[in-house]
Amino acid sequence: MTLAGPLRFNQEAAILSKLNDPTLRSHSREMRLLCLLIAFTSGLSLLYGIQYYAGGPLRLAVTNEVRDLALSPDGNLVAAGTRDGVIRLWDIAHNWTMHILTGHTGSVTGVAFAPSGATLFSAGHDGKVRLWDIPTALNAGSTGSQLTQEWDAGGVPLNDLALASDGTTLATIGEDGIIRVWDTKTGQ
């Protein structure tokens, strides 16, 4: 019995001395840091998952090269002019429903919404500026051609367009390097 007492004391002393060992304490700090990093990464993964399933940043499958994007003034529509001559219109307010606007025979190189959001302007490599009636496009289902006007740039492929903030003036630039300015009421 006298032997067990001092032996137990020595084991406890050894354990206590290891607790005061700086190597063990630094290892403990490293483990805490590792656990913190794992928790942080898990938290970010959880936030990404929630954001994805709750409708956060959305990755839309577009099978053709997008040449230009425009967001409607109210922020509920996204228009994409694509290389295949089609304008894809996504209705953000209604579960990202996609509508197709057809009419250009070349790449759609520029799109812009009128300040009212009721008209979409598009320019294309076919040398045309087209005006689209957005309420008709949204009510016509997922496909259709809701073209209201078409202006000719003399057959010169157009590279881009820009619309004045008041919607009265539109500028286009063609492959010939000439900037054309249009009155949006007359098309001249």
Side-chain angles (χ1 to χ4, degrees):
M1 210 137 159
T2 56
L3 204 51
L7 186 59
R8 189 176 333 178
F9 178 76
N10 288 338
Q11 286 175 342
E12 289 173 359
I15 291 171
L16 287 174
S17 70
K18 285 189 177 183
L19 287 176
N20 292 326
D21 184 9
T23 307
L24 184 62
R25 277 187 292 195
S26 66
H27 180 70
S28 175
R29 220 174 309 145
E30 289 171 357
M31 288 304 288
R32 281 186 290 206
L33 180 60
L34 179 62
C35 289
L36 180 65
L37 288 174
I38 290 171
F40 182 71
T41 303
S42 298
L44 286 177
S45 296
L46 179 64
L47 284 175
Y48 174 77
I50 290 169
Q51 181 181 18
Y52 176 80
Y53 288 107
L58 193 60
R59 291 174 181 87
L60 298 172
V62 178
T63 58
N64 215 301
E65 183 179 325
V66 173
R67 297 296 179 121
D68 196 23
L69 281 175
L71 185 64
S72 65
D74 64 3
N76 288 329
L77 300 171
V78 175
T82 60
R83 187 178 193 177
D84 63 358
V86 172
I87 298 167
R88 287 167 174 79
L89 186 65
W90 287 280
D91 190 347
I92 299 169
H94 295 96
N95 203 24
W96 286 87
T97 304
M98 183 171 70
H99 304 273
I100 304 291
L101 304 177
T102 58
H104 283 282
T105 57
S107 295
V108 178
T109 55
V111 289
F113 282 95
S116 67
T119 303
L120 177 71
F121 295 85
S122 64
H125 268 190
D126 57 3
K128 307 282 186 191
V129 173
R130 290 184 166 82
L131 285 69
W132 307 89
D133 183 82
I134 297 306
T136 302
L138 297 177
N139 292 325
S142 63
T143 62
S145 182
Q146 294 71 29
L147 187 61
T148 60
Q149 290 184 44
E150 181 178 280
W151 306 334
D152 190 0
V156 176
L158 298 173
N159 290 337
D160 201 4
L161 64 76
L163 184 65
S165 61
D166 63 1
T168 60
T169 307
L170 180 81
T172 60
I173 185 162
E175 284 191 355
D176 58 359
I178 296 175
I179 296 173
R180 293 167 180 80
V181 179
W182 311 76
D183 181 319
T184 58
K185 297 207 185 304
T186 65
Q188 300 295 317

